Amino acid sequence: MKNSDFIELLWMFNSPRETRDIIRLDLHEAALLYKYAKKMTRLQGAQILEIGRYWAGSLVLLSVATHNSDVKIVSVDVVEGCHDPDADDWLNNYEEKDRLDIRVDNSHGMKNLPMDLLFVDGDHSYEGVKKDFIHHWNYLNGACLAHDYTDPTCEGVTRFIDEWIEDGYAEIIEQVGTLIALKKLKDYEV
């Protein structure tokens, strides 16, 4: 892929929420994630951690946003492989796949790594998202984006993030649809 424009990603979308395609974000949410990932290209040796890859659409988006850079993307999911053949083919043929570290692991049990951007879209239960935030928070040196905040079908995500903000760990930078960008205010106190 020579062109790293957002427009090149439109093949992954089918906008109505009920019939979203490869990427499980709507266009506006995807644009927000793209914007934050693109900012990582300004940092030398930046690293992104993606939690939850199932269809791999967001991994493709992160790859395109950081194309022609040294940004490393670690993508973790408990399920092996991608569950979309188009995304799988794209990733297999991607010319910079050496920047991608695709792992099958439990995100809140994996070895910690420093990261400049954290994207959380894995376990949507209250306990699951809590474990992900607590496990990775102190290693975050930038923004955290979390999907499905305020989605009525993901009450655990909303409840946990509201508590996290109330406890002073983060503040909202911006929200588009159900994708929220958080600014880290302090480390998690064990």
Side-chain angles (χ1 to χ4, degrees), residues 100-131:
L100 310 180
D101 181 354
I102 299 173
R103 300 180 184 185
V104 178
D105 202 349
N106 183 321
S107 54
H108 49 80
M110 65 185 275
K111 183 179 177 191
N112 290 108
L113 51 102
M115 73 205 92
D116 301 289
L117 179 65
L118 173 61
F119 175 52
V120 180
D121 193 15
D123 185 335
H124 289 74
S125 70
Y126 175 86
E127 285 301 320
V129 74
K130 179 179 180 177
K131 287 177 183 177

Side-chain angles (χ1 to χ4, degrees), residues 84-103:
D84 182 87
D86 291 330
D88 196 42
D89 286 346
W90 191 95
L91 289 166
N92 285 329
N93 294 313
Y94 182 48
E95 64 195 50
E96 294 183 3
K97 61 184 165 190
D98 58 315
R99 292 187 309 108
L100 310 180
D101 181 354
I102 299 173
R103 300 180 184 185

Side-chain angles (χ1 to χ4, degrees), residues 120-121 123-127 129-130 133 137 144-151 154-175 178-183:
V120 180
D121 193 15
D123 185 335
H124 289 74
S125 70
Y126 175 86
E127 285 301 320
V129 74
K130 179 179 180 177
F133 268 71
W137 193 254
C144 172
L145 277 74
H147 191 226
D148 297 311
Y149 177 74
T150 66
D151 181 332
C154 300
E155 293 174 4
V157 172
T158 304
R159 189 177 73 161
F160 172 75
I161 291 174
D162 286 345
E163 290 174 6
W164 198 248
I165 291 167
E166 186 177 307
D167 290 342
Y169 293 108
E171 67 183 8
I172 297 171
I173 301 169
E174 59 187 308
Q175 180 177 355
T178 65
L179 185 64
I180 190 168
L182 300 170
K183 176 183 177 183

Side-chain angles (χ1 to χ4, degrees), residues 68-85:
N68 287 330
S69 75
D70 67 347
V71 176
K72 176 105 173 164
I73 302 168
V74 178
S75 177
V76 62
D77 199 302
V78 293
V79 178
E80 188 167 346
C82 311
H83 291 272
D84 182 87

Side-chain angles (χ1 to χ4, degrees), residues 12-26 55:
M12 297 191 301
F13 292 91
N14 186 357
S15 287
R17 181 170 187 76
E18 301 76 29
T19 60
R20 288 184 183 168
D21 207 353
I22 296 167
I23 193 162
R24 307 309 292 169
L25 307 167
D26 70 24
W55 291 87

